[in-house]
Amino acid sequence: MSDKKPPEPSLKGTLAAVMLLGLFIACSWIAVFVLFVSRGS
Amino acid sequence: MHMHKYEKGWLAFGGSMIVIFLVVLGIGAFTMGMAPPGSHTHAIDPERIKETAPFDKPGLRHLGDNEYEAVMIGQAFGYLPENMEVPVGAKVNFIVTSPDVVHGFAIPGTNVNLMVVPGEVNHLSHTFNEPGTYLVICNEYCGIGHEFMKTTIVVK
């Protein structure tokens, strides 16, 4: 048995997909919050 | 457990997003009164609304300093009182209940959007800074006449 670790998979595409989804969620949240605040209470 | 560095990154990103959202909402709710409408401490017997104050006399009352109290009943299929009128800049404290089924109470284009539940008294305040005719509509399906359930608030 060798001590060599298997090479790490490249997760660049996954990172891009996750960050796009994350930015979408953050932007929608901010948009709804700004709408709520701008309409006053 | 080995974790890819990107994986750590997006976990931190997602986790901090949740924390930031909750902190912003918490600050808004506890220091600026931005809580959603509702209360479970003001129960009422829905069959005795007509004898229970203040719903025995639904209407708009002037509290002074351009502040009003609107005691309203949402029922199949309309609102009492109808066609209220307030001056521009008036703060209206809505107090609403229902004698029959669940109704909605929404003013499109504003943050006024509450459920009118029999047995509960719902409260919400809104300041009308723009003149105009505001439509109040029921947005909870309440029966055969649901689409006719509306009233207006004139702000001038």
Side-chain angles (χ1 to χ4, degrees):
Chain A
M1 246 175 100
S2 80
D3 290 340
K4 239 180 142 186
K5 288 180 189 163
E8 284 209 325
S10 168
L11 294 186
K12 268 191 183 162
T14 320
L15 177 71
V18 169
M19 284 304 166
L20 282 176
L21 179 63
L23 288 177
F24 174 75
I25 292 173
C27 290
S28 349
W29 190 93
I30 290 164
V32 170
F33 188 71
V34 166
L35 183 66
F36 177 76
V37 170
S38 70
R39 284 176 168 184
S41 53
Chain B
M1 190 179 72
H2 175 71
M3 234 193 243
H4 195 285
K5 67 170 192 270
Y6 287 173
E7 208 174 350
K8 287 179 188 158
W10 70 61
L11 279 174
F13 181 80
S16 46
M17 216 160 73
I18 292 172
V19 171
I20 290 168
F21 290 172
L22 287 177
V23 167
V24 171
L25 288 186
I27 291 171
F30 289 107
T31 69
M32 296 159 81
M34 295 200 297
S39 167
H40 292 280
T41 56
H42 296 89
I44 184 171
D45 182 349
E47 293 186 351
R48 292 175 193 279
I49 279 174
K50 294 271 148 74
E51 302 113 65
T52 311
F55 297 100
D56 51 344
K57 293 190 194 84
L60 190 67
R61 295 187 224 323
H62 191 204
L63 301 178
D65 205 21
N66 218 357
E67 189 171 350
Y68 292 82
E69 181 181 75
V71 176
M72 300 188 70
I73 298 175
Q75 58 189 7
F77 298 99
Y79 296 94
L80 288 176
E82 293 188 304
N83 307 325
M84 298 189 297
E85 202 177 302
V86 292
V88 176
K91 182 184 180 194
V92 182
N93 304 317
F94 293 100
I95 302 172
V96 200
T97 193
S98 161
D100 40 48
V101 297
V102 175
H103 297 284
F105 185 100
I107 306 178
T110 71
N111 281 343
V112 179
N113 186 356
L114 35 92
M115 285 177 81
V116 185
V117 183
E120 295 283 337
V121 179
N122 214 342
H123 301 248
L124 189 69
S125 293
H126 184 71
T127 305
F128 292 91
N129 287 319
E130 296 286 328
T133 302
Y134 290 80
L135 184 66
V136 179
I137 52 164
C138 176
N139 59 3
E140 300 274 346
Y141 183 72
C142 59
I144 194 97
H146 169 65
E147 69 267 33
F148 302 114
M149 185 162 171
K150 67 170 178 66
T151 186
T152 50
I153 299 172
V154 176
V155 179
K156 61 181 184 185

